[in-house]
Structures are given as C-alpha cells and as structure tokens.
Amino acid sequence: MKTIYLFTIFFFSLFTGQEKTRYNMPDYEDVMMTSTTYNLPFNVNFTSSTYPKNLKRLEQKSNGEYLNILEYDKNGNLIYKYYRQYVSENWNGKYLTIIERNIYNDKNQPVKTLILHSNTGASLNEYHYDSAGNIILVNSTGIAITGNNENQWEYIEDLRRTEDFDKDKNILKLNNKKNKSSYVFEYDFNKKLVKALSKDQPSDYNYIIYQFNTSNQLISKTVFDQGKIYYNNSYFIEYKDNKKNNKRI
C-alpha cells in the first residue's frame, strides 16, 4: 500500500442535536501495538469502563520477566501501556517490546498518542476536535528504524515508567519533529458514515470509510488506495449478543 495510515482512533463522541451519541469506533485497530486487535498471548488491557475501580498501576511478570504494565490517571484513562511478547530464543533480545503513552485534555479526550516499538520505531498522533467533540484532524509523524538488525531498539524494555518514557531520546526527537502528515475526517448528514483522508491529497486518492448501523456501532472499515479497495486492511463487523466479530472483506 502506497500510503501508510499512521493515525489511531481511540473513540468518537458525536452529537445529534443536543444529545451526545458515542460511536463504537475501532478500539486500537490502526496502531502497530494494540490491546485488542492481534490477540497476542498475555496481552492484557482494561478500558475506562472495565478497569477495576481505583486501579492506578498493574504489573504482570512471568519467570521474572515483565510482560505487561498498565497505568491509569485519576479519571480512569489509560496513560501508559507496556507490552512484551516472547519471540524465540534465537531472536535478538528474545522479546518484542511495544509501549504506548496517551495524553488527555480536561475533557478526557486523547490529544496525543506516542508509541515506541523495539523492532519498527516510533510514531506520534495528535488529535484535534470541534466544539461538539468530534475528531476533525489528526497530525501524525514517526521515526523508522534503519538497518537490518532485528529488535534494534531492544533498550526500550527498560522504560517501565512514564517519566522514563517521556525522557527517552527517541521520544524527544519525535516530539520535536516538524514534518507531520495531516488526516481530516468528514461526516455524512446523519453521521452514519465517516470518511478519513489525507489533508494534502485529493479526496478520491487514498482514504478510509467507516460505516455505522442504526445502533451507532461500527459495521465496516473500507480502505481505498488510489481509488481501489485495499482488501488487506478492510473488514466487516458482525454483532451477536452485542459482541463483535471482525470479518475480512
């Protein structure tokens, strides 16, 4: 695919008239590390609606090795997620490490997401909202790991606290990067369809269409590359007893 969609959508809070309507947008579908997409072994997560009351930090170990660290703010927002997955004894470092850092505004809306990935690099997403709370713009940038070494940023496995993450050399570089890609979001009249597209490209070039059912649940994501469907990253969602099941197009 010629265009890599780096932005992440955590949730959409949309409004019809004065009534707030929350849409079931992809949880972490478009992030290189995700809490729910890949079903990786031992990859735990709690959302703000399911995490144990008053939980601020959770650490999980196996045989002395950290596997998961989750940290929440006082409002129940996930501000730090540290995840390690065992690959093999022959793989450099044996473990893959992925860390997500989220920053929120006073409305508990995510305004920035930073990610460190020991095998691929770093990414940053900045979220902008309209007065009603709809996402209208996401600015994205990243740092790709160069060279042929596997797990080249193995060192990030030692970044186990937010303060260590925030002071990391690659996070500082990421925050100082000026060149960002911008993605805008367009809504149809009844907000059952959302189009996400690059701000700097024609609207019919590369874009994503999210479609909702009458219960405001996401039912499909269709990715278009130069006007043609990119099937590898598109899917339908079926619901049974209010539980979703992703199906590839």
Side-chain angles (χ1 to χ4, degrees):
M1 186 178 182
K2 297 179 178 62
T3 297
I4 300 176
Y5 295 92
L6 293 174
F7 56 86
T8 308
I9 305 176
F10 284 90
F11 63 83
F12 272 29
S13 295
L14 306 180
F15 291 77
T16 302
Q18 297 299 315
E19 182 180 355
K20 183 175 181 179
T21 304
R22 178 161 292 185
Y23 282 76
N24 182 22
M25 290 298 290
D27 298 319
Y28 295 92
E29 247 66 46
D30 299 308
V31 193
M32 64 181 89
M33 74 75 58
T34 76
S35 304
T36 57
T37 302
Y38 299 118
N39 296 317
L40 298 174
F42 309 113
N43 187 13
V44 301
N45 183 52
F46 298 108
T47 66
S48 58
S49 60
T50 62
Y51 83 109
K53 187 176 181 180
N54 297 324
L55 174 66
K56 299 305 178 188
R57 184 176 171 92
L58 177 147
E59 295 183 356
Q60 182 189 41
K61 292 182 180 180
S62 176
N63 297 322
E65 295 280 358
Y66 278 95
L67 296 181
N68 282 285
I69 298 174
L70 302 176
E71 190 171 334
Y72 297 84
D73 65 15
K74 62 182 181 180
N75 297 313
N77 298 313
L78 179 64
I79 58 175
Y80 195 72
K81 178 170 173 62
Y82 172 104
Y83 173 72
R84 295 177 73 216
Q85 183 189 7
Y86 176 77
V87 179
S88 77
E89 290 295 317
N90 298 324
W91 203 64
N92 181 35
K94 299 181 183 180
Y95 285 83
L96 176 74
T97 304
I98 314 167
I99 308 174
E100 172 188 313
R101 176 83 162 97
N102 300 308
I103 298 171
Y104 301 80
N105 61 19
D106 57 4
K107 297 179 180 178
N108 293 318
Q109 296 168 322
V111 293
K112 183 184 288 188
T113 298
L114 303 106
I115 291 175
L116 287 175
H117 191 299
S118 64
N119 197 46
T120 60
S123 67
L124 174 140
N125 302 305
E126 297 172 337
Y127 308 94
H128 300 268
Y129 303 83
D130 63 17
S131 59
N134 304 321
I135 290 180
I136 55 174
L137 175 69
V138 176
N139 292 323
S140 300
T141 191
I143 300 173
I145 293 178
T146 58
N148 298 320
N149 294 339
E150 291 180 335
N151 211 31
Q152 193 164 329
W153 287 6
E154 180 190 353
Y155 80 91
I156 71 171
E157 68 183 23
D158 294 326
L159 305 178
R160 300 191 182 107
R161 294 195 174 272
T162 55
E163 51 266 34
D164 299 326
F165 182 95
D166 293 343
K167 292 185 293 187
D168 174 66
K169 58 185 179 181
N170 285 303
I171 289 300
L172 295 176
K173 289 179 184 177
L174 197 60
N175 277 317
N176 289 328
K177 285 197 71 174
K178 302 300 181 184
N179 57 320
K180 295 184 174 74
S181 300
S182 297
Y183 297 89
V184 297
F185 298 83
E186 299 175 351
Y187 303 83
D188 71 353
F189 179 74
N190 60 6
K191 295 181 179 176
K192 297 303 181 190
L193 185 147
V194 180
K195 184 176 184 179
L197 63 149
S198 173
K199 187 177 180 180
D200 301 322
Q201 293 179 348
S203 59
D204 59 350
Y205 191 73
N206 294 317
Y207 56 94
I208 299 177
I209 296 292
Y210 297 98
Q211 191 168 0
F212 300 88
N213 60 19
T214 54
S215 299
N216 300 326
Q217 296 172 312
L218 178 71
I219 57 175
S220 69
K221 169 190 171 184
T222 309
V223 180
F224 290 85
D225 182 18
Q226 295 186 354
K228 297 181 180 179
I229 295 177
Y230 183 65
Y231 289 94
N232 289 349
N233 203 26
S234 300
Y235 54 77
F236 290 117
I237 297 178
E238 294 180 348
Y239 293 87
K240 184 177 181 180
D241 299 327
N242 212 31
K243 294 181 179 180
K244 65 180 181 180
N245 175 38
N246 288 16
K247 284 193 170 185
R248 291 292 171 185
I249 290 179

